[in-house]
Structure formats: structure tokens, C-alpha cells
Amino acid sequence: MLNNIKMSIPILAGVLLLIGLVNTLVPKEFFSKIFTGNRALDPLIGALFGSVAAGNPLTSYLIGGELLKTGISLAAVLAFIVSWVTVGTIQLPAESLMLGKKFALLRNGISLIMAIIIAVLTVLATGILG
Amino acid sequence: MKKIVQKIGANWLFLIAVVLVYLILGLWNLQLALAGLEVFLGLLKKILPVLGIVFLLIFVSNLFLNPKTVAKYLGTGAGTRGWPIAVIAGILSAGPIYMWYPLLGELKKKGMRDALIATFLYNRAVKIPLLPMMVYYFGLKLVVILTILMILFSVLNGLLVERLTTQN
């Protein structure tokens, strides 16, 4: 048990430092510039960028809300915020070290695809239910 | 290379690599590196209480949960009862996702299924305290649909991850 705790401390410190780095190097305005306006491609772009972003999910809602106002499709915004909380590219080294490389890669890969599917299904279901 | 990894440990090498990135960034632009460190310290202050809880849970799980108990409720023999446990625990667990890796690693060693670990981690995305904020931005109907879909897909996520991890 102590070994597990000792092993996790440098990993957690590394992840926190990486999050600090990404939050500093990637300004929030950057996200509004990455979408193309293509309704088929934007959910994929949203999911990809959500997966490399890090930080409080609240930030993703704020960014998502602003993106909607600028005309970005709802599916793209939802893929972005779902991927933000379900995929962790920055945490991938930590997840690999503690839960296994294959597990971490598969879990994050599947979650990335699912973020797009969930986003599209949510938009469709919201439309159907009026 | 393999010898170095074994001697120092992949965990410490990871930290060293990140520190090196900071050093290089600091040489190029000190202000940016310091801003990154400021975010790091802010995050550290926020997560320390959660980290304390997680380490306490690891301690408690070590005292009370033996591999037989874990296997009974969260192992392959747990049947359907493992799913609601993983879903509810994932939704209720607080703090950032990476705080939970050590505890899950410990439970995995004791026999917890990969499917339930993945389901737990997926449900970490359902943040009850943040739901009002989400409703404010996206509306109640959409948030309810999204939350239900995420919970349903968490089970599918777990099943797929387990299926593929066990394949050669």
C-alpha cells in the first residue's frame, strides 16, 4: 500500500505540472479559432481538443457557452465538453503507469469516439423531444 | 534505456521529464514557466484535501478489503451488482480523475474488473455539483439527456475496454 502511494506522488506532481503548463500555454480564446464551421468535422475537432484540454469542467462549460454564441454547432460543443471530462491526454502517462498502458490507451481512445457519439445522440434526442 | 527506467522508476522519470520541459521553457521565457508554476501551486492547494481522502481510502481499503471481498463485489464473479457500485461511486467521487488512479490501481491488484474501473472513471464526468451551471448554459432538457446517455455509455465503455484489454 505504501509503495502504491509512494509511486503515485511523482506521477501526480508531474500531471499537475503538465496541467499548469497547458493552461498557461493555451489561452482560452484559442478554442474558438479551431472550428471550421463544417457540421460533420467540428464534432471531431471538438472531441480532439477537449481531450487535450485540462482543468475544471466548469471552464469547459464557459468555453462551450461562448462557442455556441459564436455559431459553433451544438454537437461540436457537446463533443468538446464531454471529451474534456472523459478523455485525459495529459493524464495518460499517469493512468498508464498506475492502471496499465493498454488499459489507458484503450479507455481514452474509446472515450474519445464515445464523446462524438454521445454529442450527436444528445442533439438528436433533444430535437426529437422538442 | 530499459535499465535506466528500472533503476530510477518510470514514475520519477516522468516527473523529471516534466521538470526538464519547465526548465527549457524557463530558459526561453521565464514569465511563462513561472505562470505555469503558479497554476501548479493553485491546483496543489485545491487537491491536497482530496488527495488526503484518497490516501485515507487506500489505507482503509487495505485494512478492510481483501482480494476476496473486492472480487466478490467488483471482480468477475460480482455479476451485475458491480455495475451500480461503479456507476454511483464514480458519480459521487470528488476531485480530479488522476487522484483516483492510486486507489484503483490498488483495487485492481486485489481483483477489481477492468470494466468496472473504466465505468467508474467514465462516471467521474458526471458532476452533480456542476449540473446547475451546465443547465444555465445548455438548458435542463439537454443536460438530463446528456447525463443519462453518459451513464449508459459508461457501462458500454467498461465492457469495450475490458473486451479489448483481454484480447491478445
Side-chain angles (χ1 to χ4, degrees), chain A residues 106-129:
Chain A
L106 281 168
R107 194 191 75 76
N108 282 282
I110 292 168
S111 299
L112 180 74
I113 298 165
M114 279 187 173
I116 300 167
I117 300 170
I118 289 174
V120 173
L121 285 178
T122 305
V123 173
L124 289 176
T126 313
I128 290 167
L129 294 174

Side-chain angles (χ1 to χ4, degrees), chain A residues 1 4-21 23-25 56-58 61-62 64-65 68 74 77-78 81-82 85-86 91 93-95 97-99 102-103 106-107 110-111 114 117-118 121-122 125-126 129-130, chain B residues 10-12 14-15 18-19 21-22 25 32 35-37 39-40 43-44 47 51 55 58-59 62 97-99 101-102 104-106 108 114 117-118 121-122 125 127 130 133-134 137-138 141-142 145-146 149-150 153 156-157 160-161 164-165 167:
Chain A
M1 179 198 75
N4 202 3
I5 292 176
K6 263 199 282 184
M7 189 192 145
S8 61
I9 287 171
I11 300 171
L12 295 175
V15 169
L16 288 178
L17 280 167
L18 270 182
I19 293 173
L21 204 62
N23 280 352
T24 309
L25 296 178
N56 195 309
L58 206 55
Y61 306 158
L62 294 170
L68 276 180
L74 181 60
V77 171
L78 289 177
I81 61 170
V82 172
V85 282
T86 57
Q91 296 97 306
E95 192 172 335
L97 285 169
M98 286 190 245
L99 297 171
K102 195 174 179 186
F103 173 89
L106 281 168
R107 194 191 75 76
I110 292 168
S111 299
M114 279 187 173
I117 300 170
I118 289 174
L121 285 178
T122 305
T126 313
L129 294 174
Chain B
N11 50 343
W12 285 105
F14 169 62
L15 180 60
V18 179
V19 171
V21 172
Y22 264 87
L25 179 69
L32 273 182
L37 277 177
V39 177
F40 162 75
L43 283 171
L44 193 65
I47 61 126
L51 194 59
F55 285 163
I58 293 176
F59 177 72
N62 214 48
I97 191 167
Y98 46 87
M99 292 289 108
Y101 296 154
L104 293 171
E106 190 80 14
K108 186 175 177 164
D114 274 351
I117 295 176
L121 289 173
Y122 205 89
K127 309 270 184 197
L130 298 184
M133 186 56 93
M134 215 177 172
Y137 277 106
F138 303 101
K141 191 169 66 183
L142 186 142
I145 293 169
L146 181 65
L149 280 174
M150 283 176 78
F153 271 77
L156 185 62
N157 186 289
L160 277 171
V161 169
L164 294 169
T165 44
Q167 267 179 8

